[in-house]
Structure formats: C-alpha cells, structure tokens
Amino acid sequence: MAGRIFRFAPSPNGRLHLGHAYSALFTAQQAKIHDGKCLLRIEDIDRARCRPEFAEQALADLQWLGLDWPQPVRYQSRHLHEYTVVIDRLERLGLLYPCFCTRAKLSKVQGSRDPDGTPVYPGYCRLMTKADRSRRMSAAEPYALRLDMAKAIVAAGSDLSFHETGCGPDGETGAIACTPQDWGDVVLARKDIATSYHVAVVHDDAVQGVTHITRGIDLFHATSIHRVLQSILEFPAPAYIHHKLISDDAGRKLSKSRGDRSLAALRDEGVTPDMIRAQLGF
Ligand code: GLU
C-alpha cells in the first residue's frame, strides 16, 4: 500500500474554520488508513483574495490541531510559470480561445446553468472571426482563455470516468461517468491571474504524485473538468474521496468570506484540539 499520496489543499483567503479542520483531519485519517503520505499544499494563485499571513496562520492552525506534513509545502503562487506551460500546451492543441467578455456582459447571460448554478457561457467569443480576434488582441484588450469544451471532450477520448470511494451530492459512488459538457467552455486562464484553479490543481496533483484526492463534496462535479484535462495532458487519474461539508446552525456551508468562526477564535475561547476532533467525529 506504500506510495499512496493524499493532500490537503486550502486556499488562504481567510482564517481556517471547522470545515477546513474536518477536511484536514479527514485527509490525514485517510492517509493513515491507506498507509499513505499526506501533503499540504497552499492554493494561493488568487493574489487579490489570498494573503501570506492567512497562509502562515493556516499552517499554525493545522499544527495546533496536531497535524504535520512533509516539507517543503508547495505554494501555488511560486509555480505560476508551470501553469503557463500547461496553458501553452492546451493552446497549441487548439483547445483554448480568448474571451473578451466583460463581467457586465456575462452577468446578463441566461439559459442553462452549470453544476455550481452559474449560467453556462454561450460561446460568444468562440464564434468570433479570426480577424476580430486578432484586432482585439493587438489592441491589448484584456481577455481570459476558455476551454473549447466540445473539442476538449473529443481530445480527451470517450468514456471518461473517475473512481469515487466517498460520494457525490446525490450519493454517487463507484465508477462515475464524467459530464464535462455540463460546464460549457470554462475559463482556464483568468484575465487577472493567467491561470485557474482547474489548471493549477490538475498540474500540481500530477507533479506531486497525488494518488488520492480527498476534498469537499462541493467539488464533486468539477472532477469532470479535471478528468478531461488529466486525459488531454496525459496525467494519471487519481482516486477521489469527496466528503461532506460542515454546515453552520442554519445548515449553510461554513465560509471564510462570511466570517464564520475561525479555529483561532475557537482556540481563544478555550476550545482544545481534542474537543474539535470529538465534535467533528475523529
Ligand atoms: N483549494 C480548494 C479549496 O480550498 C480545494 C481544492 C481541491 O481540493 O481540489 O476549496
């Protein structure tokens, strides 16, 4: 069973809360059960939202919980050039196109929605003529890069699936057929950061040799996008274990942005790591 690699991959855009504690403890537990190694990865590509002090605090909070991990910790912000190489590869395969649409334009899109509830991009810029595209690019108009999902699905090959040993929102488990078409032409390089969560996560899981991905059920459907990219980029297919989310008293998912009570605040109130483990069922 040696050689199994798990990872906990928080985004340092606020203090860690009980939901992160659950995910981190769950990942460590799975690594132990499977006699594997548990890595920590800091997913800080979004410089507008992530801050170094949140990353430092996350490390301290996790240590306080009694967790440790091999060094060095991977910080995505230190590997942006690697994501650019991936984007270039996809671009050379003819799978990306520039999208000049503004937020205002996108906010008016109606029609079918992706699994996150966002309207699926109708492909305005996919349909743009080459001449228009070059004109707008040479005028230095900002653009994102979108994956041409129909082409990507062909390039990824038929019958894409993933192996789930946790479960999806509707109890899905076992061999799960991917449905990347539900997402439409997702953004793979943002206007502001030249990469995206999807690119960074599949690249890092591959270079770090991650064999088992444990994460919240809210990312279950995004796995279809990740499998498409892994297949095109010839990355290995990890196993997936999606876990429940910890909700607040009103049944809402805990959120850093809403300022839900952080682990640090709980610690200051006298809550101990043992109490947290017990509350979360570990
Ligand atoms: N960084 C992501 C988050 O904090 C998790 C990504 C993943 O596990 O694939 O939600």
Side-chain angles (χ1 to χ4, degrees):
M1 298 236 276
R4 297 190 171 186
I5 300 184
F6 294 71
R7 73 347 183 237
F8 174 57
S11 301
N13 52 15
R15 299 295 313 239
L16 298 189
H17 52 57
L18 279 179
H20 299 102
Y22 182 84
S23 195
L25 291 166
F26 180 86
T27 304
Q29 184 188 55
Q30 289 293 319
K32 198 166 171 198
I33 292 172
H34 294 284
D35 194 18
K37 198 156 69 167
C38 180
L39 309 179
L40 174 68
R41 183 165 77 220
I42 301 294
E43 301 211 323
D44 56 350
I45 53 170
D46 189 340
R47 286 187 177 153
R49 297 179 65 222
C50 296
R51 290 204 237 130
E53 57 270 31
F54 287 139
E56 272 168 43
Q57 288 162 348
L59 262 53
D61 289 343
L62 294 169
Q63 253 159 0
W64 174 72
L65 271 181
L67 298 172
D68 55 17
W69 46 85
Q71 297 294 335
V73 170
R74 186 174 173 96
Y75 285 72
Q76 290 190 326
S77 58
R78 299 176 190 166
H79 297 271
L80 296 177
H81 56 286
E82 293 173 36
Y83 311 135
T84 307
V85 173
V86 175
I87 298 278
D88 288 349
R89 260 180 86 185
L90 295 168
E91 206 159 20
R92 277 200 305 275
L93 291 169
L95 300 175
L96 304 184
Y97 64 87
C99 172
F100 302 91
C101 290
T102 58
R103 259 173 211 268
K105 181 162 183 183
L106 295 174
S107 70
K108 295 199 187 88
V109 171
Q110 289 182 350
S112 64
R113 290 178 180 261
D114 70 21
D116 278 351
T118 306
V120 172
Y121 180 65
Y124 303 130
C125 292
R126 179 170 21 88
L127 307 171
M128 190 180 286
T129 63
K130 271 194 180 153
D132 272 349
R133 202 168 269 171
S134 328
R135 182 181 50 75
R136 293 176 76 163
M137 283 170 98
S138 32
E141 222 183 289
Y143 59 87
L145 289 171
R146 286 186 184 271
L147 182 66
D148 184 328
M149 190 56 93
K151 278 192 194 166
I153 289 172
V154 173
S158 55
D159 295 335
L160 263 198
S161 64
F162 62 94
H163 188 64
E164 173 69 54
T165 54
C167 76
D170 294 318
E172 304 94 323
T173 195
I176 310 289
C178 292
T179 53
Q181 63 281 3
D182 294 352
W183 290 95
D185 295 350
V186 287
V187 169
L188 289 194
R190 285 169 33 174
K191 283 182 184 171
D192 54 343
I193 56 173
T195 185
S196 61
Y197 158 64
H198 302 305
V199 167
V201 83
V202 296
H203 172 75
D204 283 2
D205 286 332
V207 295
Q208 294 192 285
V210 173
T211 56
H212 290 68
I213 294 184
T214 51
R215 60 184 180 194
I217 210 168
D218 52 338
L219 290 168
F220 177 83
H221 291 295
T223 308
S224 286
I225 304 170
H226 302 167
R227 288 292 301 117
V228 166
L229 294 175
Q230 286 159 352
S231 175
I232 293 170
L233 296 163
E234 297 176 314
F235 291 161
Y240 288 86
I241 314 171
H242 288 93
H243 62 70
K244 69 174 181 183
L245 300 177
I246 301 298
S247 45
D248 65 10
D249 295 341
R252 295 176 310 188
K253 176 191 166 191
L254 293 178
S255 127
K256 279 177 286 207
S257 48
R258 227 182 16 244
D260 280 316
R261 238 161 23 141
S262 65
L263 293 179
L266 294 170
R267 181 178 57 212
D268 291 348
E269 285 165 25
V271 174
T272 65
D274 280 348
M275 286 158 79
I276 289 183
R277 283 173 185 269
Q279 180 183 345
L280 296 174
F282 292 98

